[in-house]
């Protein structure tokens, strides 16, 4: 029976193997058979989610791993894993599927812990999105060293990942030295990729370049390496270097081919370059250059079969919008297969950036008709469009959606709503929102004062300034400009000094 179970596991028929096991409840299995079952379980793809404990979780893998663990507990009066790799493998399997409590329970019972069980626990903590868990990963490594267990490449990858999350460059450099001393850097692309990411996220771009260009030989660089280096440049705002790197990869004709992540990162770099070019004196020529680069990237995406990928398409919309090509942005948006909040936001932003407020509001109507979900970023762009168009009807609709979505307590949205109502000449609505504002800051005050001035209600604007002076909020330069403007309109310029 054991031979059949092992054969089924090796052939990928884990469910059939467990079905046979369930019909032989009293059967005692060898460690070798349990290892086959756990290895088969570990081949199940994990769908990562960030749960309450922050660890990667896969419901199917977790359920099957616990069934195997339960069988071990039920058929061994006192499960002992000393001297057997089964204990290490159970720790790895349980930690990998997010069952940290069970994994730590077995881990603590082992009289001798190997690098595999230590690394499994450290990796589980470093896979978390919380800083507390990643800090635990570093503390577990200290305990591992005290236990006289030497780390391997996978241990260092987990440690570099924890340092990335914590932005802990000092510890990351220490681990780099240790990995180098053990000869785990130069011939290990997995370790090098983690190092590039860690140095990139910690802002040590020169160190990231040293790993990519010096520690790694060209044949070692896979798509993860190129993407990690590209991401490091983008994170450090070195977008021209990022695009040069992408072109270098294309010209090198290496085995690595761009994937959706790398293409999207290159599109982000192109968008950022277009944004930067708008602040230069040669903005027109640079803008055209960015658009040409963006279209070339779009062509690459099409050649590689990613032009219909929603993630790539959304970045294409943002890139074209920043490059000033609304028609290109619209053409991509219209063929989007999946329109999530990110896609809607990209198109809304495109219209607002290019002063196409009427199209942004038409898109808002479409969002409402399709009953797509609205988030705070989308609502900010919609309010901007309402302000630009001075469309009170659309502003009222947006206000309704803000309240329904529970965003009326958001200080930024509340301030923007005050500003929008002011631009729409609805001071009564602006006053109502201002009075309900959870935390009115100086921007909200300035917006409200400005609305009264634009309406011609100078006395009210001056009274508002007096109200502001009675709060703990300090007026800024904009406030004083508004007061001078109000006094000038009222013919009281000589008295403005009283308010300054």
């Amino acid at each position: 029976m054991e031979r059949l179970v092992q054969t089924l596991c090796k052939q990928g028929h884990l469910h059939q193997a467990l079905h046979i096991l369930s019909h032989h409840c009293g059967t005692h299995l060898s460690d070798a058979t349990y290892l086959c079952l756990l290895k088969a379980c570990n081949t199940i793809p994990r769908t990562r989610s960030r749960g309450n404990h922050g660890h990667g979780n896969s419901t199917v893998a977790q359920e099957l791993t616990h069934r195997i663990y339960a069988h071990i507990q039920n058929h061994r009066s006192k499960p002992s894993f000393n001297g057997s790799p089964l204990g290490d493998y159970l720790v790895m399997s349980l930690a990998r599927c997010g069952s940290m409590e069970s994994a730590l329970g077995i881990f603590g019972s082992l009289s001798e812990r190997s690098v595999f069980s230590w690394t499994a626990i450290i990796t589980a903590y470093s896979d978390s999105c919380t800083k507390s868990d990643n800090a635990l990963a570093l503390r577990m490594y200290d305990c591992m060293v005290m236990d006289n267990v030497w780390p391997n490449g996978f241990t260092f990858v987990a440690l570099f990942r924890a340092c990335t999350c914590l932005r802990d460059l000092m510890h990351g450099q220490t681990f780099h030295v240790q990995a180098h001393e053990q000869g785990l850097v130069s011939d290990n692309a997995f370790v090098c990729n983690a190092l590039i990411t860690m140095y990139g996220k910690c802002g040590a771009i020169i160190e990231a370049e040293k790993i990519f260009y010096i520690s790694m030989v060209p044949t070692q660089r896979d798509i993860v390496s190129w993407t990690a280096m590209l991401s490091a440049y983008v994170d450090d705002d070195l977008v021209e270097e990022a695009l040069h790197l992408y072109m270098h990869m294309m010209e090198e004709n290496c085995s690595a081919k761009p994937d959706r992540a790398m293409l999207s990162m290159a599109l982000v770099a192109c968008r950022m370059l277009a944004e930067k070019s708008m602040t230069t004196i040669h903005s027109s020529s640079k803008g055209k250059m960015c658009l040409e680069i963006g279209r070339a990237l779009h062509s690459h995406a099409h050649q590689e079969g990613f032009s219909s990928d929603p993630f790539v398409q959304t970045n294409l919309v943002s890139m074209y919008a920043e490059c000033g090509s609304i028609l290109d942005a619209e053409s991509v948006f219209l063929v989007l297969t999946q329109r999530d909040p990110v896609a809607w936001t990209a198109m809304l932003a495109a219209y607002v950036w290019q002063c196409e407020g009427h199209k942004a509001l038409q898109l808002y109507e479409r969002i409402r008709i399709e009953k797509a979900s609205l988030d705070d970023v989308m609502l900010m762009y919609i309010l901007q469009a309402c302000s630009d168009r001075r469309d009170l009807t659309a502003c009222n609709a947006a206000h309704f959606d803000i309240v329904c979505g529970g965003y009326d307590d958001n200080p930024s949205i509340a301030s923007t709503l005050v500003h929008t109502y002011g631009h729409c000449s609805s001071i009564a609505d602006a006053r109502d929102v201002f009075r309900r504002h959870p935390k009115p800051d100086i921007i909200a005050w300035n917006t409200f004062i400005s609305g009264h001035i634009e309406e011609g209600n100078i006395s009210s604007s001056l009274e508002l300034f007096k109200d502001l002076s009675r709060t703990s909020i300090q007026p800024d330069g904009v406030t004083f400009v508004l007061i001078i403007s109000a006094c000038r309109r009222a013919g009281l310029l000589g008295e403005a000094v009283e308010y300054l």
Side-chain angles (χ1 to χ4, degrees):
M1 191 272 289
E2 286 200 65
R3 183 174 296 177
L4 176 60
V5 170
Q6 290 183 24
T7 300
L8 288 170
C9 288
K10 291 174 183 177
Q11 293 176 348
H13 303 303
L14 179 58
H15 286 279
Q16 293 180 31
L18 289 173
H19 180 72
I20 291 171
L21 204 63
S22 65
H23 284 76
H24 294 77
C25 298
T27 304
H28 176 86
L29 299 181
S30 65
D31 284 4
T33 303
Y34 283 127
L35 283 170
C36 277
L37 286 163
L38 289 171
K39 287 177 181 177
C41 190
N42 285 338
T43 62
I44 298 172
R46 264 55 174 176
T47 52
R48 292 285 173 104
S49 67
R50 303 298 187 178
N52 293 334
H53 301 289
H55 306 295
N57 184 26
S58 172
T59 305
V60 175
Q62 191 176 53
E63 178 190 347
L64 297 179
T65 303
H66 273 280
R67 283 176 62 183
I68 298 166
Y69 180 37
H71 195 278
I72 295 172
Q73 290 178 307
N74 293 335
H75 293 83
R76 296 190 178 185
S77 56
K78 186 179 180 182
S80 175
F81 306 111
N82 294 327
S84 166
L86 181 58
D88 282 331
Y89 221 91
L90 256 178
V91 172
M92 287 190 287
S93 301
L94 289 165
R96 189 167 181 257
C97 69
S99 298
M100 283 300 292
E101 188 175 344
S102 298
L104 288 169
I106 298 171
F107 181 77
S109 71
L110 298 176
S111 58
E112 292 184 7
R113 304 175 188 93
S114 73
V115 64
F116 303 109
S117 52
W118 276 108
T119 300
I121 298 298
I122 292 171
T123 299
Y125 282 127
S126 70
D127 277 346
S128 168
C129 62
T130 66
K131 290 189 174 182
S132 58
D133 277 349
N134 279 275
L136 270 175
L138 302 188
R139 287 202 289 272
M140 290 298 290
Y141 175 69
D142 291 337
C143 295
M144 174 181 169
V145 173
M146 291 174 63
D147 204 24
N148 293 317
V149 177
W150 289 101
N152 60 20
F154 293 101
T155 316
F156 282 115
V157 167
L159 292 170
F160 294 141
R161 191 181 296 126
C163 291
T164 300
C165 175
L166 297 168
R167 302 297 190 266
D168 190 340
L169 181 59
M170 185 180 71
H171 272 104
Q173 289 175 318
T174 300
F175 297 141
H176 182 185
V177 171
Q178 293 175 5
H180 178 73
E181 289 173 347
Q182 293 186 43
L184 296 172
V185 177
S186 59
D187 61 343
N188 193 322
F190 195 41
V191 172
C192 286
N193 292 342
L195 271 168
I196 293 169
T197 300
M198 186 268 292
Y199 279 128
K201 293 296 182 184
C202 291
I205 194 68
I206 293 175
E207 298 304 318
E209 288 179 323
K210 287 179 181 177
I211 299 297
F212 185 81
Y213 289 109
I214 299 174
S215 298
M216 301 183 81
V217 296
T219 53
Q220 273 186 301
R221 298 175 194 142
D222 56 13
I223 188 60
V224 178
S225 316
W226 289 95
T227 304
M229 193 65 239
L230 185 67
S231 178
Y233 281 135
V234 171
D235 288 340
D236 211 39
D237 203 28
L238 299 171
V239 289
E240 291 187 39
E241 287 83 349
L243 292 170
H244 281 306
L245 182 74
Y246 184 87
M247 288 186 283
H248 174 51
M249 176 181 162
M250 294 294 100
E251 292 166 356
E252 198 173 87
N253 292 320
C254 59
S255 58
K257 297 295 181 184
D259 61 4
R260 65 193 292 267
M262 187 173 192
L263 276 163
S264 295
M265 189 61 64
L267 289 167
V268 169
C270 185
R271 176 182 61 77
M272 291 172 65
L273 182 61
E275 186 178 0
K276 290 172 70 175
S277 71
M278 297 303 292
T279 62
T280 68
I281 57 174
H282 303 294
S283 60
S284 178
S285 60
K286 281 200 171 185
K288 290 179 180 178
M289 179 193 72
C290 291
L291 183 57
E292 288 177 8
I293 294 171
R295 283 175 174 161
L297 290 171
H298 193 173
S299 177
H300 286 168
H302 182 73
Q303 291 169 13
E304 298 298 331
F306 295 112
S307 59
S308 59
D309 181 276
F311 189 55
V312 173
Q313 287 176 319
T314 300
N315 281 290
L316 278 167
V317 171
S318 297
M319 179 274 295
Y320 279 131
E322 194 63 56
C323 291
S325 182
I326 284 291
L327 290 177
D328 283 318
E330 287 177 328
S331 67
V332 176
F333 183 80
L334 289 173
V335 297
L336 264 173
T337 51
Q338 297 175 26
R339 291 183 184 137
D340 58 7
V342 177
W344 289 109
T345 302
M347 199 64 236
L348 279 169
Y351 286 136
V352 172
W353 291 340
Q354 297 302 319
C355 301
E356 299 273 8
H358 65 291
K359 287 190 175 182
L361 294 182
Q362 287 173 0
L363 188 64
Y364 173 43
E365 289 181 19
R366 189 169 169 184
I367 291 170
R368 299 193 88 199
I369 290 170
E370 294 189 17
K371 297 182 179 179
S373 58
L374 288 159
D375 61 20
D376 55 339
V377 179
M378 293 168 69
L379 287 164
M380 290 288 278
Y381 281 121
I382 291 164
L383 288 174
Q384 179 64 53
C386 292
S387 179
D388 293 343
R389 299 293 297 172
R390 300 180 184 272
D391 191 326
L392 181 58
T393 302
C395 184
N396 286 330
H399 191 177
F400 176 80
D401 286 331
I402 287 167
V403 174
C404 290
Y407 295 111
D408 47 327
D409 288 334
N410 184 312
S412 296
I413 286 184
S415 295
T416 305
L417 190 55
V418 171
H419 172 81
T420 306
Y421 272 131
H423 264 221
C424 294
S425 302
S426 182
I427 292 299
D429 286 319
R431 184 182 299 110
D432 183 60
V433 175
F434 184 79
R435 286 174 176 170
R436 297 171 185 269
H437 199 303
K439 294 179 180 179
D441 54 10
I442 190 59
I443 297 174
W445 278 97
N446 287 344
T447 298
F448 197 36
I449 292 170
S450 175
H452 281 81
I453 294 173
E454 287 183 17
E455 196 184 46
N457 196 338
I458 306 303
S459 59
S460 293
S461 66
L462 295 176
E463 283 299 319
L464 280 170
F465 183 76
K466 291 178 182 178
D467 292 341
L468 170 62
S469 64
R470 288 190 281 268
T471 70
S472 59
I473 300 170
Q474 292 296 317
D476 60 10
V478 174
T479 317
F480 293 122
V481 169
L482 289 171
I483 294 306
I484 291 171
S485 174
C487 290
R488 181 178 58 79
R489 289 193 183 190
L492 303 172
L493 198 56
E495 300 175 21
V497 68
E498 298 179 11
Y499 296 94
L500 301 179

